Amino acid sequence: MLQYINENKERFLNELLDLLRIPSVSADSKFKQDMLNAAAYVRDRISDAGADRAEIFETPGHPVVYGEKIVDPALPTVLIYGHYDVQPADPYELWNSPPFEPVIKNERIYARGSCDDKGQFYMHIKALETMLATGNLVCNVKIMIEGEEEIGSSHLGDFVREHKDLLKCDTILISDTSIIANDVPSIETGLRGLTYVEVEVVGANRDLHSGVYGGGVANPINVLCEMIASLKDENGHITIPGFYDNVEDLTADQRAALNAAPFDLDEYKNDLQIDDIAGEAGYSTIERTSVRPTLDVNGIWGGYIGEGAKTVLPSKANAKISMRLVPNQTDNEILEIFTKHFESIAPASVKVKVMPHHGGLPYVTPTDSVEYQAAEMAMEESFGKKPIPTRGGGSIPIVALFEQELGRKSILMGFGLDIDALHSPNESYGLFNYYKGIETIPLFFKHYAALKLVRS
Ligand code: BES
Ligand code: MN
Ligand code: MN
């Protein structure tokens, strides 16, 4: 297989570059046709790889691509999941090269989606091709690549519920997360959940002269800022009553294990060019960004932001607020208590509205499962080092739903790095990581099939 990968290296890369040229931004309707083009491209490449089925399924949103190769119904079945949609590339002016014109520089592929998640799910299509071309496919493969992950996977839940038979599998393998470093392989054993809301604070029925009315009428921007500021105390604890009620507390041993992962604070600060870090008192950076819940303002607007100065008391102010959740919080419960609290702290001088966006449940997976061990063995074989289990801070909403609806655990065998700049300008993905992924995935299948045989 290594020889096959090596002989087809250039083509494997060029096919990915073609996919990266399609601006499949799910959030922006101006890219609707590009979404369809990307789905068709993925379907055709799954078909070329040797699958005996490759189709596009319509949904009320962006389509889902599905393919499969059933070698022998007696063998275990692995469902591959990924997403062909990408985050908006804005702000374009901060890119050193256009986001949808991929370039290779310093052994890295620069383009929106290079790591998240086109570069990562495409490794699976090339691994499938490699296993089939060399007669090494030892599991059945199903592959589902969706187009709405970056906007909350809101139609995928129904799709999964309506296609339970189609998606029936023994485990789910996903490459959409990161490793600690190229010489420190790791596997994420958890993801955070998410509650995302938009809030609106309204004062007077119109914008007002800030001299005539200023001092006598509530300024919604001032009020919104005060309300947001009150959501955390001086220790960085979230003040919403009940917010921490269901939060899973880790044991001292679990905390020690998490904090034993290599982490260099100076390097972290240096990379971000910050003089100090910030966060919840009593927790390390690793804990703050993985096993502790958060509350962050993602955007805030209102009033006059044009050139020069305008003396005005705006009538409205808005913010987008997200909360990352940890086991055993649920997005619905947090939405409910956030809404109740936010409404309760609003002064009578304004009206507030809380509008929910998307959400998702947190996820954890044990390290003693057959699938975790197969991933561990695969990475140990390809990296020459046993991977460290970590807990991820990001969210992939469908993962908890897979567990609910299909009764199957997902393995997060990702190959990204923090420096890949996901969602940021100049996103990139290392060529090393791309090829290492293609090399490691068949090893997962090999070990998974062998372990399943022994256990059954
Ligand atoms: N691939 C990421 C999630 C991720 C990144 C997990 C790095 C672990 C490490 C995914 O595409 C993503 O960005 N998810 C969103 C989910 C949201 C839009 C519902 C997120 O985490 O913000
Ligand atoms: Mn992703
Ligand atoms: Mn993403």
Side-chain angles (χ1 to χ4, degrees):
M1 284 195 278
L2 279 179
Q3 189 190 336
Y4 184 88
I5 296 168
N6 207 28
E7 282 166 0
N8 292 281
K9 236 179 145 171
E10 286 298 306
R11 178 173 56 82
F12 282 8
L13 178 59
N14 287 328
E15 288 174 11
L16 171 60
L17 299 186
D18 280 341
L19 175 60
L20 291 170
R21 287 189 183 97
I22 308 172
S24 46
V25 178
S26 50
D28 187 342
S29 58
K30 129 171 139 241
F31 297 104
K32 193 165 189 297
Q33 183 58 44
D34 299 294
M35 291 297 294
L36 301 179
N37 295 349
Y41 184 85
V42 173
R43 175 202 55 201
D44 293 347
R45 297 295 80 74
I46 291 174
S47 174
D48 292 350
D52 34 42
R53 201 172 158 183
E55 295 167 36
I56 291 177
F57 283 84
E58 298 303 326
T59 75
H62 299 297
V64 171
V65 185
Y66 175 80
E68 65 181 34
K69 179 77 196 180
I70 308 298
V71 204
D72 175 352
L75 290 173
T77 301
V78 178
L79 172 65
I80 307 292
Y81 163 83
H83 61 94
Y84 68 83
D85 66 321
V86 300
Q87 287 275 324
D90 312 70
Y92 279 69
E93 65 276 14
L94 296 183
W95 286 77
N96 298 325
S97 56
F100 299 107
E101 294 171 31
V103 292
I104 313 285
K105 225 171 55 188
N106 312 321
E107 302 285 298
R108 310 186 63 76
I109 311 161
Y110 285 86
R112 170 57 86 228
S114 54
C115 172
D116 186 10
D117 177 42
K118 288 173 171 173
Q120 294 216 59
F121 83 71
Y122 206 72
M123 301 181 312
H124 288 269
I125 298 180
K126 293 302 96 181
L128 175 64
E129 176 191 322
T130 301
M131 290 186 282
L132 280 170
T134 59
N136 279 300
L137 185 59
V138 291
C139 294
N140 300 310
V141 181
K142 295 182 172 183
I143 177 161
M144 179 175 84
I145 310 296
E146 71 147 319
E148 299 193 309
E149 197 277 339
E150 300 291 9
I151 51 173
S153 299
S154 46
H155 299 104
L156 197 64
D158 283 341
F159 181 85
V160 171
R161 275 185 283 272
E162 284 159 21
H163 295 90
K164 280 192 186 177
D165 273 341
L166 184 74
L167 301 173
K168 194 166 182 286
C169 60
D170 294 285
T171 193
I172 301 152
L173 182 63
I174 303 175
S175 297
D176 194 22
T177 52
S178 305
I179 52 175
I180 295 173
N182 284 346
D183 58 355
V184 190
S186 57
I187 300 176
E188 291 190 10
T189 61
L191 292 164
R192 287 195 281 194
L194 186 70
T195 294
Y196 200 116
V197 298
E198 186 165 328
V199 298
E200 182 171 86
V201 176
V202 181
N205 60 355
R206 59 183 189 273
D207 287 1
L208 302 171
H209 189 292
S210 68
V212 178
Y213 291 95
V217 177
N219 178 331
I221 299 182
N222 293 15
V223 173
L224 176 60
C225 290
E226 285 160 19
M227 289 173 71
I228 289 172
S230 79
L231 295 176
K232 280 191 198 174
D233 68 15
E234 67 282 7
N235 291 316
H237 284 106
I238 295 156
T239 56
I240 301 169
F243 188 85
Y244 293 100
D245 280 2
N246 298 324
V247 167
E248 170 194 56
D249 278 321
L250 271 60
T251 63
D253 283 353
Q254 286 174 314
R255 291 185 68 178
L258 264 187
N259 288 310
F263 176 76
D264 185 326
L265 187 58
D266 288 326
E267 215 175 273
Y268 189 79
K269 291 195 287 191
N270 237 331
D271 174 44
L272 303 175
Q273 294 181 311
I274 50 176
D275 294 331
D276 203 358
I277 49 167
E280 189 183 0
Y283 294 94
S284 68
T285 301
I286 289 183
E287 292 172 306
R288 287 169 177 171
T289 57
S290 64
V291 295
R292 297 300 297 168
T294 66
L295 184 150
D296 278 293
V297 179
N298 297 256
I300 184 162
W301 67 100
Y304 183 71
I305 52 165
E307 198 179 323
K310 177 184 179 188
T311 47
V312 63
L313 274 189
S315 133
K316 245 175 33 182
N318 296 74
K320 293 186 195 275
I321 300 175
S322 68
M323 288 153 276
R324 296 278 171 178
L325 315 179
V326 300
N328 301 298
Q329 294 177 300
T330 68
D331 50 335
N332 287 337
E333 155 226 4
I334 294 299
L335 173 64
E336 203 180 303
I337 64 172
F338 175 89
T339 306
K340 211 169 125 206
H341 179 68
F342 205 72
E343 285 167 356
S344 79
I345 59 173
S349 53
V350 297
K351 296 182 188 65
V352 306
K353 243 200 296 194
V354 178
M355 296 156 283
H357 279 278
H358 47 64
L361 291 168
Y363 176 74
V364 270
T365 185
T367 54
D368 60 2
S369 67
V370 174
E371 45 268 54
Y372 183 87
Q373 281 168 7
E376 185 174 74
M377 290 163 82
M379 283 184 115
E380 180 164 12
E381 194 174 334
S382 67
F383 283 86
K385 259 189 200 173
K386 194 169 166 165
I388 300 172
T390 60
R391 289 276 291 266
S395 310
I396 306 177
I398 202 62
V399 173
L401 216 123
F402 279 147
E403 185 169 9
Q404 280 177 2
E405 300 297 333
L406 302 178
R408 289 293 180 261
K409 285 284 188 184
S410 297
I411 288 299
L412 304 162
M413 195 172 75
F415 294 87
L417 293 175
D418 282 350
I419 57 158
D420 293 347
L422 317 186
H423 299 198
S424 304
N426 304 306
E427 177 179 350
S428 67
Y429 191 40
L431 291 174
F432 170 86
N433 304 72
Y434 182 56
Y435 292 118
K436 189 55 86 181
I438 299 172
E439 177 190 334
T440 307
I441 292 160
L443 300 173
F444 172 86
F445 282 81
K446 178 181 84 173
H447 291 298
Y448 184 64
L451 288 173
K452 280 290 266 191
L453 201 68
V454 173
R455 298 260 180 123
S456 64

Short mmCIF file of all heavy atoms in Angstrom, two decimals, residues 41 47 50 96 108 132 138 153 155 168 170 182 211 252 302 332 336 401 407 414:
data_model
loop_
_atom_site.label_atom_id
_atom_site.label_comp_id
_atom_site.label_asym_id
_atom_site.label_seq_id
_atom_site.Cartn_x
_atom_site.Cartn_y
_atom_site.Cartn_z
N TYR A 41 -18.60 16.40 -7.20
CA TYR A 41 -17.18 16.04 -7.30
C TYR A 41 -16.84 14.91 -6.32
O TYR A 41 -16.18 13.94 -6.67
CB TYR A 41 -16.32 17.28 -7.01
CG TYR A 41 -14.83 17.04 -7.19
CD1 TYR A 41 -14.25 17.14 -8.45
CD2 TYR A 41 -14.03 16.67 -6.11
CE1 TYR A 41 -12.88 16.90 -8.62
CE2 TYR A 41 -12.68 16.43 -6.27
CZ TYR A 41 -12.11 16.54 -7.54
OH TYR A 41 -10.77 16.29 -7.69
N SER A 47 -16.83 7.16 -6.42
CA SER A 47 -17.10 6.16 -7.45
C SER A 47 -15.78 5.71 -8.11
O SER A 47 -15.52 4.51 -8.23
CB SER A 47 -18.06 6.78 -8.45
OG SER A 47 -18.25 5.95 -9.53
N GLY A 50 -13.59 3.11 -6.51
CA GLY A 50 -13.95 1.70 -6.62
C GLY A 50 -15.16 1.31 -5.79
O GLY A 50 -15.45 0.12 -5.65
N ASN A 96 -2.96 35.58 2.32
CA ASN A 96 -1.76 35.86 1.52
C ASN A 96 -1.91 35.37 0.09
O ASN A 96 -1.19 35.81 -0.80
CB ASN A 96 -0.53 35.21 2.16
CG ASN A 96 -0.29 35.78 3.55
OD1 ASN A 96 -0.54 36.96 3.79
ND2 ASN A 96 0.16 34.95 4.47
N ARG A 108 3.09 22.91 2.79
CA ARG A 108 1.72 23.00 3.29
C ARG A 108 0.79 23.43 2.17
O ARG A 108 1.18 24.19 1.29
CB ARG A 108 1.62 24.01 4.44
CG ARG A 108 2.66 23.83 5.55
CD ARG A 108 2.40 24.78 6.72
NE ARG A 108 1.12 24.47 7.34
CZ ARG A 108 0.90 23.44 8.14
NH1 ARG A 108 1.88 22.64 8.47
NH2 ARG A 108 -0.29 23.23 8.65
N LEU A 132 -8.47 -0.88 -2.08
CA LEU A 132 -9.12 -1.66 -3.14
C LEU A 132 -8.12 -2.03 -4.25
O LEU A 132 -8.08 -3.17 -4.71
CB LEU A 132 -10.30 -0.88 -3.73
CG LEU A 132 -11.58 -0.95 -2.90
CD1 LEU A 132 -12.62 0.04 -3.42
CD2 LEU A 132 -12.15 -2.37 -2.92
N VAL A 138 -10.33 -4.96 4.16
CA VAL A 138 -10.72 -6.07 5.04
C VAL A 138 -11.96 -5.75 5.88
O VAL A 138 -12.29 -6.49 6.80
CB VAL A 138 -9.55 -6.47 5.98
CG1 VAL A 138 -8.44 -7.11 5.15
CG2 VAL A 138 -9.02 -5.25 6.73
N SER A 153 -25.27 21.22 11.17
CA SER A 153 -25.81 19.90 10.75
C SER A 153 -27.30 19.78 11.03
O SER A 153 -27.78 18.72 11.44
CB SER A 153 -25.06 18.76 11.47
OG SER A 153 -23.69 18.79 11.16
N HIS A 155 -30.00 19.49 9.28
CA HIS A 155 -30.86 18.52 8.59
C HIS A 155 -30.31 17.10 8.64
O HIS A 155 -30.95 16.17 8.18
CB HIS A 155 -31.06 18.92 7.12
CG HIS A 155 -31.73 20.26 6.98
ND1 HIS A 155 -31.05 21.40 6.64
CD2 HIS A 155 -33.01 20.63 7.20
CE1 HIS A 155 -31.89 22.42 6.62
NE2 HIS A 155 -33.09 21.99 6.97
N LYS A 168 -26.28 1.61 8.87
CA LYS A 168 -25.97 0.57 9.86
C LYS A 168 -24.48 0.21 9.76
O LYS A 168 -23.95 0.00 8.67
CB LYS A 168 -26.83 -0.66 9.55
CG LYS A 168 -26.87 -1.67 10.67
CD LYS A 168 -28.03 -2.66 10.39
CE LYS A 168 -28.18 -3.68 11.48
NZ LYS A 168 -27.17 -4.71 11.52
N ASP A 170 -20.64 -0.92 12.35
CA ASP A 170 -20.10 -1.35 13.64
C ASP A 170 -19.42 -0.21 14.37
O ASP A 170 -19.39 -0.18 15.59
CB ASP A 170 -19.13 -2.50 13.43
CG ASP A 170 -19.86 -3.73 12.90
OD1 ASP A 170 -20.54 -4.37 13.70
OD2 ASP A 170 -19.79 -3.99 11.68
N ASN A 182 3.25 16.77 15.00
CA ASN A 182 3.56 15.68 14.08
C ASN A 182 4.41 14.59 14.74
O ASN A 182 4.39 13.45 14.30
CB ASN A 182 4.23 16.21 12.82
CG ASN A 182 3.21 16.86 11.89
OD1 ASN A 182 2.00 16.69 12.08
ND2 ASN A 182 3.69 17.61 10.91
N GLY A 211 -27.70 64.13 22.56
CA GLY A 211 -27.66 65.28 23.45
C GLY A 211 -29.03 65.55 24.03
O GLY A 211 -29.20 65.75 25.24
N ALA A 252 -9.24 13.48 40.25
CA ALA A 252 -7.87 13.99 40.30
C ALA A 252 -6.98 13.24 39.31
O ALA A 252 -6.14 13.83 38.63
CB ALA A 252 -7.32 13.87 41.72
N GLY A 302 -24.29 47.37 16.63
CA GLY A 302 -25.34 48.34 16.94
C GLY A 302 -24.79 49.74 16.76
O GLY A 302 -23.57 49.94 16.71
N ASN A 332 -30.28 21.89 24.96
CA ASN A 332 -31.63 22.39 25.22
C ASN A 332 -31.76 22.99 26.61
O ASN A 332 -32.34 24.06 26.80
CB ASN A 332 -32.65 21.25 25.08
CG ASN A 332 -32.85 20.88 23.62
OD1 ASN A 332 -32.59 21.71 22.73
ND2 ASN A 332 -33.27 19.66 23.37
N GLU A 336 -32.41 26.95 27.58
CA GLU A 336 -33.53 27.35 28.43
C GLU A 336 -33.06 28.22 29.60
O GLU A 336 -33.62 29.30 29.85
CB GLU A 336 -34.20 26.08 28.96
CG GLU A 336 -35.63 26.28 29.38
CD GLU A 336 -36.22 24.96 29.88
OE1 GLU A 336 -36.21 23.97 29.11
OE2 GLU A 336 -36.65 24.93 31.05
N LEU A 401 -25.27 12.47 18.08
CA LEU A 401 -26.49 11.95 17.45
C LEU A 401 -26.30 10.56 16.85
O LEU A 401 -27.19 9.72 16.89
CB LEU A 401 -26.93 12.93 16.37
CG LEU A 401 -28.44 13.02 16.29
CD1 LEU A 401 -28.87 14.45 16.49
CD2 LEU A 401 -28.94 12.46 14.99
N GLY A 407 -26.58 3.97 17.70
CA GLY A 407 -26.04 3.16 18.80
C GLY A 407 -24.57 2.85 18.61
O GLY A 407 -24.08 1.82 19.08
N GLY A 414 -8.20 12.30 13.84
CA GLY A 414 -7.89 13.46 13.00
C GLY A 414 -6.39 13.62 12.86
O GLY A 414 -5.61 13.06 13.63
#
